[in-house]
Amino acid sequence: MKVTVVSRSGREVIKGGIDLSDSATVADLQEAIHKRTKKFYPSRQRLTLPVPSGSKERPTVLAAKKSLKEYTDGNSDSLTIVFKDLGPQVSYRTLFFFEYLGPLILYPVFYYFNVYEFLGYKGSERVIHPVQTYAMYYWCFHYFKRIMETFFVHRFSHATSPLSNVFRNCAYYWTFGCYIAYYVNHPLYTPVGDLQMKIGFAFGALCQVSNFYCHILLSNLRSPDGSGGYQIPRGFLFNIVTCANYATEIYQWLGFNVATQTVAGYLFLVVAASIMTNWALAKHRRLKKLFDGKDGRPKYPRRWIILPPFL
């Protein structure tokens, strides 16, 4: 089989094309491209079928495990593939580890060390309130849990992410981590009442445990290699909420903010909730489209999307 590899502009990426056996898979083609170019390793490649000029349809992305013959149009002797360079890649575990490591390390710095003397505050001896101690433990437990889930629970459908996402995500998490830690641990911080603190942390802790269980249920929908495709999540809170994992994440930060009461914390909650709501809406639409009840497919049940009883 002769495979012609072109860019989206139509320029030939591999001069003369690539000759492969009739039984070759998409993964074999990716390895052949890597061997010829030395630069574009498989996870950096996005291979699609050509889209007719003027068509508004999304291009078909080639699945690595499928045979190339499945993508031929009756002519198994030749195939044209559109190549896109996704740029330098890192594994999702690497991405998540570094974005979570920053808040885990930086937050305690504001608690244990009197950094405020170097930030322009020259006051009396600092008094640490119980809520500041509980907040520090709560915060560190959350990000430690996330790192452990990254390595031992999550199963990723995509092996890698663009390297640029490491810098973007780290900037987001590390900046907000310092921003919140600065105000919660500030010498002039005024704590909330004891009852409000206990209610906030208790509710947040319950949501953290629920969030962990949601991740276990999602992980069980996929095989260890991340395959399995889209399935209807079931059990626990997923019986009433499409994205129960996002819902418990949002509500656990609400509990943290009820207990600590800072503008920085609530700003983080609003930004994070906005991002996760967009993800949840997209996933809900995708699942309803895939499971439409037609041609023997199950029909997606009626559920809240992310934030019962609001959405």
Side-chain angles (χ1 to χ4, degrees):
M1 176 186 292
K2 184 80 167 182
V3 181
T4 303
V5 184
V6 299
S7 66
R8 288 185 292 178
S9 63
R11 179 181 60 83
E12 195 172 20
V13 176
I14 307 294
K15 298 296 183 183
I18 298 175
D19 291 310
L20 294 170
S21 68
D22 291 341
S23 61
T25 63
V26 175
D28 294 328
L29 172 60
Q30 290 178 315
E31 289 293 345
I33 293 174
H34 182 211
K35 187 175 180 180
R36 290 281 295 272
T37 64
K38 307 299 184 184
K39 177 182 179 181
F40 304 123
Y41 43 87
S43 61
R44 187 168 174 167
Q45 304 172 26
R46 182 176 185 264
L47 304 180
T48 60
L49 294 179
V51 177
S53 180
S55 174
K56 295 183 179 180
E57 293 184 4
R58 285 180 170 273
T60 300
V61 180
L62 276 59
K65 294 182 179 180
K66 286 190 175 183
S67 169
L68 287 171
K69 273 191 175 182
E70 295 184 43
Y71 296 104
T72 58
D73 204 12
N75 180 12
S76 60
D77 294 330
S78 63
L79 180 64
T80 298
I81 297 299
V82 179
F83 168 88
K84 179 184 178 181
D85 175 22
L86 297 177
Q89 302 284 300
V90 296
S91 72
Y92 269 98
R93 286 188 170 85
T94 299
L95 169 66
F96 288 164
F97 173 73
F98 281 106
E99 70 182 40
Y100 299 151
L101 181 65
L104 179 61
I105 292 176
L106 294 173
Y107 190 100
V109 170
F110 288 83
Y111 175 84
Y112 285 110
F113 302 100
N114 193 8
V115 298
Y116 299 93
E117 288 189 358
F118 304 100
L119 297 174
Y121 177 77
K122 302 291 183 180
S124 57
E125 185 177 351
R126 180 184 170 205
V127 176
I128 298 179
H129 302 284
V131 65
Q132 293 172 312
T133 300
Y134 297 144
M136 194 270 296
Y137 289 142
Y138 184 102
W139 180 280
C140 291
F141 172 77
H142 172 75
Y143 283 102
F144 178 76
K145 176 182 79 74
R146 279 194 166 191
I147 291 175
M148 291 299 101
E149 288 173 340
T150 296
F151 288 104
F152 302 109
V153 177
H154 293 321
R155 293 173 178 174
F156 303 100
S157 57
H158 300 287
T160 62
S161 173
L163 177 62
S164 59
N165 286 349
V166 175
F167 303 102
R168 183 196 65 187
N169 290 16
C170 285
Y172 170 75
Y173 281 102
W174 294 28
T175 300
F176 262 119
C178 292
Y179 184 40
I180 296 171
Y182 174 82
Y183 284 103
V184 174
N185 296 290
H186 198 281
L188 297 181
Y189 172 78
T190 302
V192 300
D194 188 64
L195 179 60
Q196 180 175 334
M197 176 191 72
K198 290 178 179 178
I199 291 174
F201 282 137
F203 177 71
L206 177 63
C207 290
Q208 288 222 47
V209 174
S210 300
N211 180 258
F212 173 74
Y213 187 55
C214 287
H215 288 158
I216 293 290
L217 293 177
L218 289 176
S219 178
N220 290 338
L221 294 178
R222 296 185 182 277
S223 61
D225 64 357
S227 61
Y230 286 104
Q231 300 182 46
I232 299 177
R234 302 183 189 277
F236 192 45
L237 297 177
F238 286 110
N239 290 334
I240 57 175
V241 188
T242 292
C243 293
N245 52 321
Y246 296 154
T248 51
E249 177 77 11
I250 292 171
Y251 281 124
Q252 72 96 10
W253 282 120
L254 176 62
F256 176 86
N257 283 301
V258 167
T260 55
Q261 206 84 331
T262 65
V263 172
Y266 279 112
L267 179 60
F268 176 64
L269 173 63
V270 170
V271 173
S274 299
I275 294 171
M276 285 185 276
T277 297
N278 286 332
W279 292 344
L281 289 169
K283 184 172 183 179
H284 188 77
R285 286 193 296 265
R286 190 182 306 117
L287 289 173
K288 287 189 69 176
K289 183 178 180 180
L290 288 172
F291 302 103
D292 54 9
K294 300 176 182 177
D295 300 325
R297 293 185 293 271
K299 186 173 179 59
Y300 193 74
R302 185 178 177 84
R303 292 175 176 175
W304 299 103
I305 298 175
I306 182 172
L307 293 175
F310 308 108
L311 181 62

